[in-house]
Amino acid sequence: MTHQSGIRVSAELSAAFIDALSSNSVRALKISIVNESLETTDTIQIQGTLEEDFAQLPQLLDASEPCYLLVRLDDETSGKWLIGTYVPDSAKVRAKMLYASSKASVTKSLGESYFVDDIFGTTREEFSPAGYRQHRRHVESSAPLTEREEEMQRIREMESSAAETPTMDTRRQHVSGAAVAMNDELRLALGEYIRGSTNFVLVAWDPATESFVLDRKAWLESPAELMQAVAQDSPCYAFYWYGGSTSLFVYSCPSTSNVRQRMVYSSFKYGFLVTVKQMGVNVHVKMEVDSIDELSATAIAEEVEAKAAEETPRAAPTTQPKFKRPAPPGRPRTNPTLN
């Protein structure tokens, strides 16, 4: 999915966070924007208590360069982390804007439910043990939680109890291990999709039955119709036969949709894809969008072409040098390139 700043989490950062989640040795990760990508630029190992290790954070901070800090709040693998946003007053305006608009990229990509606290500061002192204690006093004496904060808290509690070690891998295994419920109407529609008697299937989540259901099926005459066929104000999954031979899976998650809806679709996506694959639905290209504008015919064509280019094997040389047998004794050697 795209984000406002366009800055994305790198594969290296994702891997580093997964490793940190599954171990109890990392206290903090420093995250910086490097070449338009979010990268891990420093690490602090657990050496003492949270307060003792917090004393090391200020040394990670530059006087004029913003960064994020991901801090483990306990010594276990329960997945409780703090995200700190450090934006010094002396930083350049563009850097301030980038870091202000990219925090959502970090939390959404790594998993919002892991981050149970958040600090914003402009000085090193705000990331010292004393600064953290002051932050906690302010939080604990602040107004009651908003509706969104209450929803996120409930979601964190559910996810925390769902797995003993909530790394990204184990969360996937948990979801895929349980059967993803879907109604008979959706199963029949997916069967038609497999056979090619329909080329578009829209899937929705029904909270009343806690299962995925068929929203609608249709025959789209061209890729240009997909933009209007996908739900515009709520998350959904969709399948579409592009060009009659490329099976496209779309996960649409509008940024204006309900937080609980977004978490449901995000949590079940992996398990849902495993389930439909077992039913015989092959997916060649996957797209994740947060606006239907990203489903234009041009955007879809670019995604399909990019995927095809990734899977195209590099061509082998058309000619191979041949071994030449030595000339028998007494016969002159010849060079066919000379006259």
Side-chain angles (χ1 to χ4, degrees):
M1 293 174 63
T2 59
H3 302 283
Q4 187 176 0
S5 69
I7 305 297
R8 295 178 180 272
V9 167
S10 69
E12 290 76 13
L13 171 53
S14 294
F17 189 62
I18 290 174
D19 289 343
L21 284 171
S22 59
S23 70
N24 60 353
S25 61
V26 176
R27 174 64 73 190
L29 299 171
K30 179 182 177 180
I31 312 301
S32 303
I33 297 176
V34 181
N35 297 326
E36 305 299 309
S37 177
L38 288 156
E39 305 281 356
T40 307
T41 52
D42 213 334
T43 303
I44 289 180
Q45 302 296 316
I46 292 178
Q47 297 180 5
T49 65
L50 173 61
E51 183 164 338
E52 290 169 344
D53 291 344
F54 227 93
Q56 301 182 54
L57 295 184
Q59 70 188 31
L60 298 180
L61 306 178
D62 187 272
S64 59
E65 292 294 331
C67 69
Y68 301 114
L69 294 173
L70 309 185
V71 184
R72 184 194 299 275
L73 295 179
D74 52 33
D75 298 336
E76 306 298 332
T77 56
S78 58
K80 294 180 181 179
W81 290 71
L82 169 148
I83 179 167
T85 306
Y86 170 67
V87 183
D89 291 333
S90 57
K92 295 180 180 179
V93 174
R94 182 174 183 275
K96 290 181 179 180
M97 294 177 62
L98 277 179
Y99 279 86
S101 59
S102 299
K103 189 178 79 170
S105 296
V106 179
T107 56
K108 287 182 179 179
S109 297
L110 299 181
E112 286 184 306
S113 62
Y114 294 121
F115 300 101
V116 299
D117 198 359
D118 134 20
I119 293 180
F120 177 87
T122 60
T123 66
R124 291 188 177 100
E125 289 71 24
E126 291 172 277
F127 294 90
S128 67
Y132 180 63
R133 286 195 298 270
Q134 182 177 354
H135 163 74
R136 289 309 309 163
R137 285 194 296 268
H138 173 74
V139 169
E140 290 163 6
S141 63
S142 61
L145 297 178
T146 64
E147 181 180 354
R148 183 183 185 279
E149 289 171 335
E150 288 179 347
E151 284 184 330
M152 288 304 300
Q153 188 176 49
R154 288 194 294 268
I155 290 167
R156 290 182 190 120
E157 290 171 354
M158 287 188 293
E159 290 193 344
S160 178
S161 62
E164 293 181 359
T165 305
T167 65
M168 293 180 181
D169 288 341
T170 55
R171 285 172 66 195
R172 284 183 170 184
Q173 291 167 4
H174 171 74
V175 174
S176 64
V180 175
M182 61 180 69
N183 69 355
D184 292 339
E185 190 177 13
L186 174 56
R187 291 180 180 276
L188 290 172
L190 290 175
E192 293 178 21
Y193 179 80
I194 294 169
R195 295 189 296 273
S197 54
T198 188
N199 72 349
F200 174 76
V201 175
L202 188 65
V203 183
W205 171 259
D206 180 12
T209 60
E210 296 189 344
S211 64
F212 287 101
V213 299
L214 175 67
D215 186 294
R216 72 187 187 93
K217 61 181 180 179
W219 186 272
L220 305 185
E221 296 299 330
S222 72
E225 296 180 21
L226 185 61
M227 185 183 293
Q228 296 303 318
V230 171
Q232 300 183 32
D233 56 357
S234 61
C236 67
Y237 301 145
F239 295 92
Y240 173 61
W241 278 110
Y242 178 82
S245 59
T246 301
S247 180
L248 179 69
F249 171 77
V250 176
Y251 166 35
S252 174
C253 188
S255 57
T256 55
S257 58
N258 179 274
V259 174
R260 182 177 292 276
Q261 287 182 322
R262 296 203 299 270
M263 290 302 294
V264 165
Y265 281 84
S266 175
S267 298
F268 277 104
K269 185 189 71 170
Y270 182 81
F272 179 80
L273 287 173
V274 169
T275 300
V276 298
K277 183 177 182 179
Q278 292 171 346
M279 294 171 58
V281 179
N282 291 319
V283 173
H284 305 124
V285 177
K286 300 173 187 174
M287 293 182 68
E288 295 189 12
V289 302
D290 55 18
S291 168
I292 60 169
D293 294 337
E294 299 173 69
L295 289 176
S296 65
T298 300
I300 296 171
E302 290 175 351
E303 287 287 339
V304 172
E305 290 171 5
K307 184 65 175 178
E310 288 177 6
E311 297 180 348
T312 300
R314 184 176 298 176
T318 54
T319 58
Q320 297 287 344
K322 297 181 179 179
F323 173 75
K324 295 182 179 180
R325 180 178 297 174
R331 293 187 185 181
R333 295 178 180 269
T334 60
N335 189 335
T337 61
L338 301 177
N339 293 323

